[in-house]
Amino acid sequence: MSDGCTVLLTFDFDAEALWEGAYGVTTPSTLSRGAYGANLGMPRILALLARYGIAGTFFVPGITAERYPDLVRRAHGAGHEVAHHGYLHVSPTTQTEGDERTALEKGLEILEGLTGTRPVGYRSPSWDLSAHSLRLLAEHGFVYDSSLMAWDAPYLVPVDGGSPQLVEIPISWELDDAPYFLFAFRPTYRVGLADPDRVFAIWRAEFEAAHADGGTVCYTMHPQIIGRHHRLQVLERLIRHIRQYPDARFARAADVARGYRAHPGRSGA
Ligand code: ZN
């Protein structure tokens, strides 16, 4: 008998910053791939979530928020959570502690300025934390991080070996659209271009097992990747599938993190 299941739909709205920050590529054609996420990906995702009355979580680099303030305001205004995703989409593992702190503070200021709400969640660009990240997050009042992969459901991570503790909303590469779909010739060849049916089957199976466990499942998508028509259909099929289970609920990461902090250890796998 299932205790229900919590489903998080999260979107890393990187736009051009993915290519500039993570890959160091600034050529016009490559950057236009990022712009696709803003021009078409975001509006399509926002429309899809509105159609199903679902609130998701958007992790946004500060520079992307500066470039597309209206989209960030629209997401916030529609009831979605806007969370922190670095400033230039540079991995903290390549930054000094001072640079990481500056990026964190800049991102907070920009997102809070646009939405009127201080972000409480952080996801590292490139999904890799530095030795300083968790302490910096705790110092800046974050409730949760979403960059680690030790569990399916939320868990607590110690900061510098003790308290205070942050809630971790774990991610996984298997539930991220990028490894399946993101194609690139340069600077690193990536195969991508997976069959959408295959990805749907994997994501559906993960949901069904999490549901049977009364657990949590967190999907990560990128507007410039999932925003293509044939891939957005994967997301819509998944939503429709999950909707068949009356005890499954969609939730924003901040709400899951706050709920877990109030009652740690209550959820399933
Ligand atoms: Zn990203």
Side-chain angles (χ1 to χ4, degrees):
M1 185 67 187
S2 165
D3 296 328
C5 176
T6 303
V7 180
L8 293 90
L9 300 182
T10 72
F11 302 88
D12 294 358
F13 176 30
D14 298 329
E16 292 92 337
L18 171 69
W19 302 100
E20 297 163 324
Y23 293 104
V25 181
T26 57
T27 55
S29 293
T30 298
L31 292 185
S32 71
R33 298 181 64 177
Y36 184 94
N39 296 338
L40 293 173
M42 280 293 284
R44 286 175 183 164
I45 290 165
L46 291 173
L48 179 68
L49 297 180
R51 203 152 64 238
Y52 287 91
I54 294 168
T57 303
F58 291 80
F59 293 90
V60 190
I63 194 168
T64 300
E66 287 178 324
R67 285 173 177 152
Y68 302 105
D70 290 348
L71 285 169
V72 173
R73 278 192 285 255
R74 254 180 79 186
H76 174 75
H80 304 296
E81 176 191 354
V82 174
H84 202 302
H85 196 41
Y87 179 67
L88 289 174
H89 205 283
V90 171
S91 169
T93 63
T94 65
Q95 292 178 306
T96 64
E97 183 178 348
D99 288 345
E100 186 177 355
R101 179 187 294 274
T102 301
L104 204 59
E105 291 174 357
K106 243 172 135 172
L108 279 172
E109 191 184 322
I110 293 158
L111 296 177
E112 188 174 2
L114 283 175
T115 65
T117 303
R118 188 178 170 86
V120 297
Y122 173 84
R123 177 174 285 164
S124 155
S126 309
W127 288 13
D128 212 358
L129 297 176
S130 77
H132 314 293
S133 302
L134 293 174
R135 177 169 37 78
L136 289 173
L137 294 176
E139 248 179 56
H140 288 81
F142 282 85
V143 175
Y144 75 92
D145 169 67
S146 182
S147 315
L148 299 173
M149 314 182 196
W151 211 260
D152 289 334
Y155 59 101
L156 292 173
V157 282
V159 175
D160 281 351
S163 60
Q165 293 187 312
L166 285 165
V167 176
E168 178 62 33
I169 302 290
I171 48 175
S172 82
W173 290 113
E174 294 82 357
L175 301 178
D176 178 348
D177 60 359
Y180 298 111
F181 291 131
L182 183 62
F183 169 82
F185 280 118
R186 290 175 296 276
T188 307
Y189 183 78
R190 299 181 63 135
V191 180
L193 308 179
D195 175 359
D197 288 341
R198 176 177 155 242
V199 178
F200 174 69
I202 294 168
W203 288 7
R204 180 186 56 194
E206 195 71 17
F207 162 73
E208 285 175 353
H211 178 265
D213 274 352
T216 302
V217 58
C218 177
Y219 299 97
T220 300
M221 292 156 278
H222 299 73
Q224 62 187 287
I225 300 172
I226 203 79
R228 291 272 165 192
H229 285 302
H230 67 290
R231 296 179 186 144
L232 206 60
Q233 288 165 5
V234 173
L235 176 56
E236 182 159 13
R237 287 169 70 191
L238 188 70
I239 289 171
R240 291 169 77 97
H241 182 78
I242 293 169
R243 272 288 165 85
Q244 296 171 21
Y245 296 74
D247 57 349
R249 65 172 191 123
F250 291 96
R252 301 179 301 185
D255 300 324
V256 174
R258 286 195 179 103
Y260 186 75
R261 196 169 61 174
H263 304 284
R266 51 138 178 71
S267 62

